[in-house]
Amino acid sequence: MVKTYESAALFLKEAKEILLEQEAVSQLVLGNAIGAGDQPCRSDLFFGTVWLKGEMVMAFCNCLPWNLVIHAVLQRKGEVWRNEADALIGAESEKIATAARELAAYLKENAIPVKGVNANGFVCQNFLEHYCEEGLIAEKELSMDIMECRNLRPAALQAGIYRSAAPEDADWILEGCLAFEQEALGKQGDREKLLENILDHQIKNNSLRLFCLTDNTPVCMANLARNLTNGFSINQVYTVPKYRGKGYAQTLIYKFCEEFFRSGYSFATLFVDKTNPISNRVYAKVGFEIVEDNYAYHFTEAEEKDE
């Protein structure tokens, strides 16, 4: 049974405690619900759960223009699915597969617009098999792993300056953001919008951190993507190409986590690209571990693709 809610607040009242058990994995659903506050739900902003025999199996949100996000709450804490083949065998995996099918049927029957889907590989596989009818194509956008760090490991740190970004760093950060988007997403960002976000949000809100050489020349950056209930999420990790492989990003991430752990957060989390294992080892060296995989698909009509 698919259950929807009149508001994000009512969704959280029922699901928040369960979502917090796997906060790093559920962060997109949980973060969207907290951000929506008391807004009433509608077709382009709604939250729901899927139940089987009185047991909550899934929680989801559809917040356009973003993808539908599905979190399998039934997954036992500490078990990692790195791809579809690693899914649990037996009753639990069958419940999750059934719930994914029910959610797909519900969305189609109610003609609810969905741009794409984010979920672990097993959920995506079962959802897409029942959601994509003839004429609708699901194209993979991203293949990621969700990593989590609760305890920093001793690591070799480079000499240099770790500091917050300042307005005078905006041009350097802009070039880094443009390069990051080109490398990670294969597209060029909008310079004006990026610069506005850097100045009016990231620098103003003190979310960006830089690691610099001893002469204060920036070499890499990282951003506080979102504050979670018990932890924090990092994104936009970028190192200037000529400074890669020298331990600067490792030092930046270590010091970033150290700073926020001292502020009272219990864990750090980030999404990493499965196709970049060299970069991802940087995070493992300072204490990050994979807790789940995550895929993003977007939908296109077959006629659109043919044009």
Side-chain angles (χ1 to χ4, degrees), residues 237-255:
V237 181
Y238 176 77
T239 304
V240 176
K242 71 176 181 179
Y243 293 111
R244 292 175 185 174
K246 302 179 184 298
Y248 294 125
Q250 179 175 306
T251 302
L252 171 62
I253 295 301
Y254 184 97
K255 289 183 174 294

Side-chain angles (χ1 to χ4, degrees), residues 93-112:
S93 59
E94 182 54 37
K95 286 179 183 178
I96 292 169
T98 300
R101 295 193 291 267
E102 288 200 9
L103 177 56
Y106 174 87
L107 295 170
K108 289 193 295 184
E109 288 169 5
N110 290 276
I112 294 172

Side-chain angles (χ1 to χ4, degrees), residues 56-193:
M56 187 188 298
V57 179
M58 284 181 175
F60 65 90
C61 66
N62 191 45
C63 305
L64 296 179
W66 313 113
N67 285 352
L68 170 75
V69 182
I70 308 172
H71 169 58
V73 302
L74 190 62
Q75 181 186 346
R76 290 192 295 255
K77 191 172 183 180
E79 291 180 326
V80 179
W81 295 354
R82 291 188 173 87
N83 55 54
E84 296 90 328
D86 287 340
L88 300 174
I89 302 301
E92 290 193 351
S93 59
E94 182 54 37
K95 286 179 183 178
I96 292 169
T98 300
R101 295 193 291 267
E102 288 200 9
L103 177 56
Y106 174 87
L107 295 170
K108 289 193 295 184
E109 288 169 5
N110 290 276
I112 294 172
V114 177
K115 179 184 177 182
V117 62
N118 278 67
N120 70 42
F122 182 72
V123 171
C124 281
Q125 178 188 34
N126 284 276
F127 177 84
L128 293 173
E129 284 177 358
H130 294 82
Y131 185 79
C132 292
E133 298 176 329
E134 186 176 350
L136 185 66
I137 298 171
E139 295 188 325
K140 188 185 294 183
E141 291 180 304
L142 295 169
S143 303
M144 299 166 285
D145 284 321
I146 303 173
M147 300 188 80
E148 179 185 86
C149 174
R150 290 186 175 272
N151 296 289
L152 285 167
R153 292 174 183 160
L157 303 180
Q158 295 299 314
I161 300 168
Y162 168 77
R163 63 176 175 84
S164 296
E168 54 268 28
D169 300 309
D171 289 339
W172 182 90
I173 295 166
L174 174 61
E175 296 307 318
C177 287
L178 290 167
F180 174 83
E181 290 199 358
Q182 186 64 49
E183 290 182 18
L185 304 175
K187 64 181 182 181
Q188 191 70 59
D190 184 301
R191 296 184 72 93
E192 289 188 9
K193 288 184 178 179

Side-chain angles (χ1 to χ4, degrees), residues 220-291:
C220 54
M221 66 180 178
N223 182 61
L224 177 66
R226 65 183 65 87
N227 289 302
L228 308 176
T229 302
N230 299 302
F232 60 97
S233 181
I234 302 170
N235 71 354
Q236 205 173 302
V237 181
Y238 176 77
T239 304
V240 176
K242 71 176 181 179
Y243 293 111
R244 292 175 185 174
K246 302 179 184 298
Y248 294 125
Q250 179 175 306
T251 302
L252 171 62
I253 295 301
Y254 184 97
K255 289 183 174 294
F256 196 124
C257 292
E258 185 178 52
E259 175 190 352
F260 284 87
F261 285 164
R262 285 175 177 170
S263 298
Y265 292 98
S266 59
F267 72 92
T269 181
L270 42 75
F271 288 74
V272 296
D273 188 344
K274 283 178 173 287
T275 65
N276 194 353
I278 295 175
S279 173
N280 299 345
R281 282 198 288 271
V282 169
Y283 307 120
K285 286 180 180 178
V286 299
F288 281 84
E289 297 179 348
I290 295 172
V291 291

